[in-house]
Amino acid sequence: MSHKRQDASQVSPELDEMVCDLIGYMLDELADGGDPGVLTCVEDADGVRVEASFTDDGEEACLEAAKARIAQSAQGMAKEGLGPIARYAIGYVGGVQLEDGFADAVLVSFYEQGLTDEAGVPTGYSAYVLFEGAGEGDRFAWADPAPAGAEEPLI
């Protein structure tokens, strides 16, 4: 069930949960030494969720394929029982420029219908989670999510 947000620039509990689930899965894969590839997660207004992984090409090509799938499926995915997309997230592994150089991070882009910036313009957002020790199990460590900026929505 979808909840109305008081402030259209704030992420709903449903989108927050979906983004956290995506980040959690990616961190688990990295801790185990896996390569999660580019992941997408979409939901309709009824909470039907469809996930997909893109791993058969280079990272940039997989990211473009993930974005295209979301944009082309904005009206839903009948085969999967998904109505029009209400919210989405895309996650992948990359690097973030910090003051002292590049650091490994899980990068996530996300958006939901009705999410706008302060001017009322539909706006998607992005965040990153720094990590180190991929494949080292219990020595794998990560930081809290940090904002990475606004993005053009795909739907």
Side-chain angles (χ1 to χ4, degrees):
M1 178 183 289
S2 182
H3 300 284
K4 292 266 185 194
R5 293 184 308 275
Q6 295 290 359
D7 181 350
S9 67
Q10 297 297 309
V11 169
S12 72
E14 295 87 357
L15 182 58
D16 183 57
E17 179 181 354
M18 186 173 68
V19 170
C20 287
D21 288 350
L22 182 71
I23 291 170
Y25 175 81
M26 294 191 75
L27 292 173
D28 287 347
E29 286 291 304
L30 290 164
D32 291 340
D35 177 6
V38 177
L39 302 176
T40 63
C41 189
V42 296
E43 283 185 353
D44 63 19
D46 293 328
V48 174
R49 186 182 285 190
V50 175
E51 299 166 345
S53 175
F54 297 80
T55 59
D56 292 341
D57 213 335
E59 184 176 294
E60 192 63 36
C62 287
L63 183 57
E64 289 307 312
K67 289 179 178 180
R69 177 182 165 124
I70 290 172
Q72 293 166 359
S73 301
Q75 296 308 310
M77 299 175 188
K79 190 174 179 183
E80 289 88 351
L82 182 82
I85 295 174
R87 63 193 65 84
Y88 70 81
I90 300 173
Y92 57 99
V93 177
V96 175
Q97 175 69 50
L98 302 174
E99 290 179 13
D100 57 348
F102 277 95
D104 292 328
V106 170
L107 304 158
V108 181
S109 299
F110 52 93
Y111 173 75
E112 67 187 322
Q113 296 292 338
L115 188 61
T116 64
D117 63 13
E118 292 77 23
V121 176
T123 303
Y125 293 96
S126 60
Y128 64 90
V129 177
L130 298 176
F131 69 86
E132 60 185 18
E136 296 181 19
D138 291 340
R139 291 189 293 192
F140 180 74
W142 66 93
D144 289 334
E151 294 187 353
E152 183 84 19
L154 300 172
I155 56 173

